[in-house]
Amino acid sequence: MSGVTIWERVRRVAGHEGRWLVSLGRWVTRRRAGVGAGDRPFGYGSAQAAIVYGLTFVCAVETTALAVLLADHPVAHLVMLVIDVYTVLTMLGLQAAAVTRPHVLAAESLRLRDGARMEVDIPLERIASVRYDLRFTKAEKQRKGAGRDDLLELAVAGQTSVTVALREPVTAERLLGRRIEVRTVRFHADDARGAVAAVRAAVEAAAATASESGGAAAGPGAPPSVKGSSVA
């Protein structure tokens, strides 16, 4: 985390809080962030929904119980009420961010998100392969030990279902400012197989467009430029 000051970390945490608060409003109005015309979104919040709603219910029950127990202590009651309400909003905000900030496949890039915590843009020309690959991250770490430095996992409820291998690394920035160069990204999508098929098609289309552009630039009489895709 060298190079990132304490104030920068505070600013980033505050920005994260603001993003999930805004996501609550978007959730209510059924709007999504960063999804343009022609873009294809891929949701990933369903896998964690039951966990989030269950914890939210537990927090609500705790709030009610504390209200009864602290009825004769108004100051303590108020403090705990504020804490409990904030906790409930945080839990709902996590789910709202996952719903309103989906992964986005655009014409030239694949934008992968981890709720309000982080996002990484991958140019389509850097994608070497994409495949359906269901993994449970905790079990993987227990089996293999320390993780790879060039691997980014955007797990939801402890699982990823799509693996993207890159021709060239991309820079990902974590919540507190740590930057990592990644060559493999694993993420989860509710429709993982659909996401894989869509990304493959987009990569192949981008490669075909680049090949046609290269052939036109070479001029008449020059051999056409061929750029294949190893997406599998």
Side-chain angles (χ1 to χ4, degrees):
M1 198 83 73
S2 60
V4 181
T5 66
I6 184 64
W7 297 114
E8 176 65 12
R9 297 181 199 178
V10 170
R11 184 189 69 80
R12 288 175 177 275
V13 171
H16 171 257
E17 298 285 302
R19 285 191 294 275
W20 69 251
L21 283 169
V22 170
S23 295
L24 283 171
R26 288 199 177 104
W27 198 20
V28 171
T29 57
R30 296 180 179 274
R31 293 182 294 116
R32 292 177 295 192
V35 181
D39 294 346
R40 183 167 179 182
F42 295 100
Y44 52 89
S46 296
Q48 68 180 22
I51 298 173
V52 171
Y53 296 145
L55 290 174
T56 301
F57 175 76
V58 170
C59 289
V61 171
E62 179 194 42
T63 300
T64 304
L66 286 175
V68 174
L69 293 173
L70 298 175
D72 296 331
H73 305 278
V75 175
H77 178 207
L78 179 60
V79 171
M80 293 307 302
L81 178 63
V82 170
I83 292 174
D84 286 342
V85 169
Y86 179 78
T87 301
V88 169
L89 286 176
T90 300
M91 296 304 301
L92 292 175
L94 292 175
Q95 182 63 12
V99 172
T100 63
R101 298 172 61 84
H103 306 308
V104 179
L105 177 60
E108 298 181 350
S109 67
L110 173 64
R111 178 177 300 164
L112 301 177
R113 288 162 156 168
D114 183 16
R117 288 179 290 274
M118 71 177 296
E119 63 180 50
V120 55
D121 281 315
I122 305 174
L124 294 181
E125 65 268 17
R126 294 196 185 187
I127 296 179
S129 67
V130 56
R131 69 183 187 276
Y132 175 79
D133 183 22
L134 181 61
R135 293 171 180 260
F136 295 92
T137 55
K138 185 176 181 180
E140 286 284 319
K141 289 177 181 177
Q142 289 176 341
R143 183 165 60 88
K144 295 184 177 179
R148 293 162 40 191
D149 292 336
D150 63 347
L151 170 65
L152 176 64
E153 291 182 309
L154 303 178
V156 179
Q159 65 180 313
T160 61
S161 52
V162 180
T163 295
V164 178
L166 306 179
R167 302 178 191 277
E168 301 175 33
V170 297
T171 301
E173 196 171 78
R174 296 194 181 276
L175 175 59
L176 296 182
R178 180 190 171 199
R179 294 189 174 187
I180 54 175
E181 297 290 317
V182 297
R183 289 184 173 274
T184 302
V185 182
R186 293 175 184 154
F187 68 96
H188 178 69
D190 295 334
D191 180 14
R193 297 186 189 277
V196 168
V199 174
R200 283 178 177 171
V203 170
E204 290 169 359
T209 300
S211 178
E212 292 172 3
S213 299
S225 172
V226 177
K227 183 179 180 180
S229 172
S230 61
V231 176

